[in-house]
Amino acid sequence: GWQASMKSGSLSCILPCNRLPVQLMSQVRVYTSNGQKKDLGSEGTNRSTPEETLHKVGTGQDMTNAGQKQSFLKEPIQVKVKAVLKKREYGPKYTQNNFITGVRAINEFCLKSSDLDQLRKIKRRSPHDDTETFTVYLRSDVEAKSLEVWGSPEALARERKRRKEAEIRYRENLFRNQRLLREYKEFFGNTKPRSSAAAMFFKGPGKVVMVAICINGLNFFFKLLAWVYTGSASMFSEAIHSLADTCNQALLALGISQSARTPDPSHPYGFTNMRYIASLISGVGIFMMGAGLSWYHGIIGLLHPHPIESLLWAYCILAGSLVSEGATLLVAINEIRRSARAKGLSFYQYVVQSRDPSTNVVLLEDAAAVLSVAVAATCMGLTSLTGNPIYDSVGSLGVGTLLGTVSAFLIYTNTEALLGRSIQPEQLQRLTELLESDPVVRAIHDVKATDMGMSKVRFKAEVDFDGRVVTRSYLEKQDIEQLLQEIQQVKTLEELEAFMLKHGENIIDTLGAEVDRLEKDLKQRNPDVRHVDLEIL
């Protein structure tokens, strides 16, 4: 036969097969937490006796077992009573112990800075890199002070509503307010140091863009005069090309100046992507104005050819344009080489990854300008030798195709940058190894490192911290003898709860300090990492 053992609470029984005896416990004792015991076998007649229970169990078995003798075991049951701390229900009143910063207290409870001077001040670990500690207030104190100032919750609600309406009106008149603010600063003087946005155009990418704007503007003027004089389709394409370059580089200058704006609450990560947006629009502009008009004029020349006047002046202007465009191209090449060397990248990698979109646009536009001048000069020379204007129209189509290729490359690279691509695997591996080599980190998961543009990286990871190392780090800063005395003084559950709550909160603060330390190490050893988000797993 088979035996099956089943345990349920404190009752143990052996279920028999057809020919095995039945063994049941004749007495069950239940011990309560106050030390009393109850004998369930001696209770009233309403409860079933073990014999009745046996009869119920054996009703479905063979009748040959009816004459077998039943034996009962009498064994005491030992129950361990565990002292459990009563679960506390945290209601809305408990959130009054939360901390609140001074800025939130002033904005949300309509207080003044002088109202906070009389409140209890608590120093807490600062979440910002530039300060170690900052002052917070108890939310209950701030709420009580606001009621003292405004008299009632209804008056406070009315003041909040009034300020909200004023904020809405301010946003509706944002541009007018900004103009008034500028006039105010001009009249009374700006106490803050002026922005260095103008200085950006005297070095680096800003210098390259300004040089390109000046040269391309002059080229457009002289090429336009040559087209009016000669009527050449290739010269018209060159004039349109220079005009498109000038407009696009003016747009790049706007993007550079906007990218230097300081972050605000609406844009906490800054405006660095404005360079990529300006470069993207510039690529679209090259395609529409440069390639589109060049193709259009070339097709018109093929459908309706007409003789071309003397091309002597056109050749002179093309030669001057070749020199000026070549000079701008050399300035862009030198700037990209210098920047690529500083980042440890090759010239090709720096351009393809669009590390500096503004300089990339100038580089590609000027390279296309030099090649298009060569194409236009060649086609105009063939037209002069053969007298056939078809070659000149073909040159216009060639310039348009060249501009279309450059615009497609600019649109692709800047779109990839705006979508938020990952950093290089080698750089990501260095960041991962730096975290894993720290004793407080047990493992890291879900690592993401996004290139935000302009050599700014945002790093995110879920970190499994070693609780033993964190606790040991906290204990190393404590007086062990005093801590041991506190432990020895713990006699009741209330004292144990107070002891654990006190040191538990301090250990959580230690964990937060470890997170801040890891973030600071990542930023110091990798200057490109500007934003670090470490989530506790």
Side-chain angles (χ1 to χ4, degrees):
W2 54 268
Q3 278 188 333
S5 176
M6 179 177 66
K7 295 182 179 180
S8 176
S10 60
L11 179 62
S12 300
C13 63
I14 301 178
L15 297 181
C17 67
N18 292 338
R19 290 181 174 81
L20 291 179
V22 178
Q23 296 181 355
L24 289 176
M25 302 186 64
S26 61
Q27 190 176 19
V28 179
R29 295 175 181 174
V30 177
Y31 289 80
T32 61
S33 59
N34 57 8
Q36 299 178 355
K37 65 179 181 179
K38 298 180 182 180
D39 190 352
L40 299 182
S42 62
E43 290 183 356
T45 58
N46 293 334
R47 298 181 179 267
S48 332
T49 62
E51 289 81 5
E52 293 176 353
T53 304
L54 174 64
H55 176 70
K56 293 178 182 179
V57 172
T59 53
Q61 299 180 355
D62 195 288
M63 295 301 297
T64 57
N65 297 332
Q68 295 182 357
K69 185 178 179 180
Q70 302 177 0
S71 60
F72 300 95
L73 299 177
K74 296 183 180 181
E75 296 180 357
I77 304 298
Q78 295 182 356
V79 179
K80 294 182 178 180
V81 180
K82 182 172 65 174
V84 179
L85 187 66
K86 183 181 178 180
K87 184 177 180 181
R88 176 175 295 179
E89 297 295 336
Y90 296 100
K93 292 184 178 180
Y94 189 79
T95 58
Q96 294 179 355
N97 295 325
N98 292 354
F99 297 137
I100 185 173
T101 61
V103 176
R104 287 189 58 191
I106 294 174
N107 294 334
E108 296 181 11
F109 293 91
C110 306
L111 297 176
K112 300 178 181 179
S113 58
S114 58
D115 296 332
L116 303 178
D117 295 339
Q118 303 174 0
L119 303 182
R120 289 176 290 179
K121 299 179 178 62
I122 303 173
K123 294 292 184 180
R124 299 292 294 175
R125 181 173 48 85
S126 174
H128 307 290
D129 296 335
D130 53 350
T131 56
E132 295 182 358
T133 60
F134 73 133
T135 303
V136 294
Y137 304 88
L138 284 176
R139 188 181 185 91
S140 58
D141 294 347
V142 174
E143 291 178 351
K145 187 64 178 179
S146 64
L147 293 179
E148 178 186 344
V149 172
W150 295 103
S152 64
E154 293 76 12
L156 177 60
R158 288 194 298 270
E159 179 63 18
R160 287 175 176 172
K161 183 178 179 180
R162 187 189 67 80
R163 295 192 181 189
K164 187 66 177 179
E165 293 175 351
E167 182 181 358
I168 294 175
R169 289 194 300 270
Y170 173 79
R171 290 181 178 179
E172 292 176 350
N173 302 321
L174 180 61
F175 295 104
R176 183 175 62 87
N177 292 333
Q178 288 179 344
R179 187 182 71 252
L180 293 176
L181 182 61
R182 287 195 298 268
E183 294 176 357
Y184 174 84
K185 290 181 178 179
E186 291 176 359
F187 183 77
F188 290 99
N190 192 358
T191 57
K192 296 183 178 180
R194 293 189 176 273
S195 174
S196 59
M200 297 178 61
F201 295 102
F202 295 98
K203 60 181 180 179
K207 176 182 177 181
V208 176
V209 171
M210 293 306 296
V211 171
I213 289 176
C214 297
I215 292 179
N216 285 315
L218 293 175
N219 288 339
F220 165 71
F221 178 74
F222 289 112
K223 288 178 181 179
L224 184 65
L225 292 179
W227 170 71
V228 171
Y229 179 72
T230 62
S232 170
S234 296
M235 186 55 63
F236 175 80
S237 298
E238 280 300 305
I240 293 298
H241 182 190
S242 297
L243 176 61
D245 288 349
T246 304
C247 295
N248 291 329
Q249 285 151 9
L251 183 62
L252 293 178
L254 178 63
I256 291 175
S257 63
Q258 291 295 314
S259 66
R261 294 170 57 188
T262 56
D264 56 26
S266 300
H267 305 85
Y269 291 105
F271 299 85
T272 54
N273 281 339
M274 280 301 300
R275 295 196 183 191
Y276 292 97
I277 295 174
S279 300
L280 178 62
I281 299 175
S282 177
V284 176
I286 293 174
F287 183 82
M288 297 294 294
M289 294 181 60
L293 289 178
S294 296
W295 284 333
Y296 171 79
H297 207 73
I299 293 173
I300 293 298
L302 291 176
L303 296 178
H304 307 286
H306 60 277
I308 300 177
E309 301 294 335
S310 175
L311 300 176
L312 178 61
W313 285 106
Y315 289 137
C316 295
I317 292 175
L318 284 178
S321 177
L322 180 64
V323 173
S324 60
E325 297 284 2
T328 309
L329 179 62
L330 289 178
V331 173
I333 290 176
N334 291 332
E335 177 62 25
I336 290 180
R337 282 180 176 175
R338 184 186 63 81
S339 301
R341 193 181 304 111
K343 297 296 180 183
L345 300 174
S346 64
F347 185 89
Y348 175 77
Q349 290 176 335
Y350 193 88
V351 174
V352 171
Q353 295 176 11
S354 189
R355 293 283 180 167
D356 187 354
S358 303
T359 308
N360 275 3
V361 172
V362 175
L363 172 72
L364 296 175
E365 285 183 348
D366 290 338
V370 172
L371 293 177
S372 63
V373 166
V375 171
T378 302
C379 293
M380 289 170 61
L382 292 175
T383 299
S384 298
L385 293 176
T386 61
N388 187 358
I390 298 297
Y391 292 108
D392 185 62
S393 300
V394 171
S396 180
L397 293 176
V399 172
T401 303
L402 183 61
L403 294 177
T405 304
V406 171
S407 65
F409 178 79
L410 290 175
I411 292 173
Y412 172 76
T413 55
N414 288 283
T415 301
E416 285 291 312
L418 288 173
L419 287 176
R421 58 194 172 192
S422 178
I423 62 176
Q424 296 299 313
E426 297 80 8
Q427 187 179 4
L428 181 60
Q429 182 66 24
R430 289 196 301 268
L431 296 175
T432 303
E433 292 176 353
L434 177 60
L435 281 180
E436 291 179 337
S437 62
D438 196 280
V440 78
V441 177
R442 182 177 295 164
I444 59 174
H445 309 278
D446 194 22
V447 180
K448 294 183 179 69
T450 306
D451 188 354
M452 300 176 60
M454 300 307 300
S455 301
K456 293 184 178 181
V457 176
R458 181 179 181 181
F459 182 83
K460 176 261 178 186
E462 294 187 1
V463 184
D464 184 5
F465 286 91
D466 192 336
R468 295 176 178 270
V469 177
V470 174
T471 305
R472 187 175 292 109
S473 175
Y474 168 71
L475 292 176
E476 290 174 354
K477 302 175 183 177
Q478 305 301 314
D479 187 350
I480 300 300
E481 294 183 357
Q482 181 181 357
L483 188 62
L484 183 59
Q485 292 177 0
E486 293 181 10
I487 296 175
Q488 293 173 350
Q489 293 175 359
V490 173
K491 303 298 181 181
T492 63
L493 291 178
E494 290 76 11
E495 293 176 352
L496 176 62
E497 179 184 4
F499 175 82
M500 295 300 297
L501 291 177
K502 171 187 174 182
H503 293 282
E505 183 178 7
N506 294 336
I507 290 176
I508 295 299
D509 290 341
T510 303
L511 178 59
E514 293 293 336
V515 173
D516 293 342
R517 179 182 61 82
L518 291 176
E519 293 179 351
K520 187 176 181 180
D521 289 345
L522 284 175
K523 293 178 181 179
Q524 286 181 349
R525 300 189 184 185
N526 301 271
D528 291 346
V529 178
R530 303 294 181 88
H531 307 282
V532 181
D533 300 324
L534 297 182
E535 300 179 3
I536 302 175
L537 186 61

